[in-house]
Amino acid sequence: PNCMEFNDGLGGSQEFLYVNPNIECWTTAHLNFIFFVFVPSILLWGLIFPTVLLYLLRKSRQSEGDVISPRKLTSKSSSKSSRGSKISLFLDAIESKIFGFFYEDYKEEYFYWEIIIFMKKFFLIALSSIRNLIGLDSKYVFIIFVKMIYLKSMLKRRPFCFEICNVFEILSGVICILTILLLTFTTFENSLIDYAYIGLIGFIINSFFCIAAFSVIGKEFLFRFRRENVQKKQQKSATIFKKSKL
């Protein structure tokens, strides 16, 4: 529904679609596009898909006593294979592949968090799509509002299984909000020097995030590498001790 206004040179103006200037706004073709494409897409991806997905995940969780996990699937498979139920095993494998993407990275009580992330992205894309209707300033305000709500939820719940993922998600949210705040200054009339300063500050902020991310990843890699070496040495020592006793 994004429209751009053009002067016709006779004191009047006409509006045309932003994505396709050949289509005039609020004509029959444009209204058909809104009612038969845009509105159904909003309903499908903004309401029906998240609701159905949440229902399926809750149903799966209730039927299993929890969200399906690979461990439970393995134990369940072993018990069913003894009864020769190959069809049930096949259905369980399909169910695990379908739903595994949505919950495997999160704590059990936050199995629905992928839906929260999907809704956040949906709102951000929708705001970008109607930027000409609400204005650029309003768009930035709404985006920051959505980001702040999500960031507050992340700080309170920390839904990821691994704390490093929670840290990255929170840090990226803060950097994103700061970057958007900088972009709001570009909507004002500034000199080239002001734009240069804004760009430099944005570059420093995002560079800080990249450095922090590589630093955390490096520390995690070194920690796991040292732990594996310690475990190997312990296993080797235990093997030597057993041989000495024999």
Side-chain angles (χ1 to χ4, degrees), residues 114-133:
E114 193 67 31
I115 301 176
I116 302 295
I117 295 177
F118 175 83
M119 293 302 298
K120 180 196 71 170
K121 294 178 179 178
F122 174 80
F123 282 121
L124 294 178
I125 294 173
L127 288 172
S128 298
S129 300
I130 61 174
R131 62 185 180 274
N132 290 340
L133 294 177

Side-chain angles (χ1 to χ4, degrees), residues 19-236:
V19 294
N20 189 355
N22 294 319
I23 300 178
E24 186 177 354
C25 290
W26 314 120
T27 59
T28 302
H30 183 216
L31 293 176
N32 288 336
F33 173 78
I34 291 176
F35 290 111
F36 294 107
V37 178
F38 182 75
V39 173
S41 299
I42 292 293
L43 293 175
L44 175 62
W45 296 109
L47 181 62
I48 298 176
F49 175 75
T51 303
V52 172
L53 181 59
L54 180 61
Y55 169 76
L56 292 175
L57 290 177
R58 286 177 63 88
K59 183 179 178 181
S60 175
R61 188 171 187 266
Q62 291 173 357
S63 63
E64 295 294 330
D66 202 345
V67 180
I68 302 173
S69 63
R71 292 182 181 178
K72 290 188 176 182
L73 182 63
T74 303
S75 61
K76 193 167 140 185
S77 299
S78 60
S79 62
K80 287 189 175 182
S81 61
S82 61
R83 297 194 298 266
S85 182
K86 295 182 179 181
I87 297 178
S88 297
L89 288 176
F90 178 71
L91 293 176
D92 288 339
I94 294 177
E95 187 179 17
S96 177
K97 287 183 178 296
I98 293 174
F99 293 107
F101 168 78
F102 294 103
Y103 59 74
E104 61 184 3
D105 294 330
Y106 307 105
K107 299 175 183 176
E108 293 181 353
E109 61 270 27
Y110 300 120
F111 66 96
Y112 55 85
W113 200 259
E114 193 67 31
I115 301 176
I116 302 295
I117 295 177
F118 175 83
M119 293 302 298
K120 180 196 71 170
K121 294 178 179 178
F122 174 80
F123 282 121
L124 294 178
I125 294 173
L127 288 172
S128 298
S129 300
I130 61 174
R131 62 185 180 274
N132 290 340
L133 294 177
I134 63 177
L136 194 58
D137 294 336
S138 300
K139 170 193 167 183
Y140 287 145
V141 171
F142 284 121
I143 288 177
I144 292 175
F145 179 71
V146 173
K147 287 284 187 180
M148 289 291 292
I149 292 177
Y150 179 75
L151 183 60
K152 183 179 179 180
S153 300
M154 278 295 307
L155 289 170
K156 182 179 180 181
R157 303 182 186 279
R158 308 181 86 87
F160 288 92
C161 295
F162 298 101
E163 183 61 21
I164 187 173
C165 296
N166 292 317
V167 173
F168 276 141
E169 191 74 5
I170 293 170
L171 185 59
S172 65
V174 172
I175 296 299
C176 186
I177 291 173
L178 292 176
T179 303
I180 296 172
L181 287 174
L182 284 174
L183 288 175
T184 57
F185 288 102
T186 61
T187 60
F188 305 122
E189 294 184 1
N190 299 309
S191 63
L192 291 177
I193 297 178
D194 294 332
Y195 285 124
Y197 282 129
I198 293 173
L200 179 61
I201 295 173
F203 175 77
I204 293 173
I205 291 174
N206 286 274
S207 297
F208 167 77
F209 171 75
C210 293
I211 293 172
F214 283 118
S215 175
V216 173
I217 293 174
K219 289 180 180 179
E220 184 70 15
F221 176 78
L222 288 175
F223 172 77
R224 294 188 179 185
F225 179 75
R226 291 172 181 173
R227 185 177 61 183
E228 290 178 359
N229 283 339
V230 171
Q231 291 176 350
K232 288 180 180 179
K233 290 180 180 179
Q234 289 176 348
Q235 291 176 356
K236 187 176 181 180

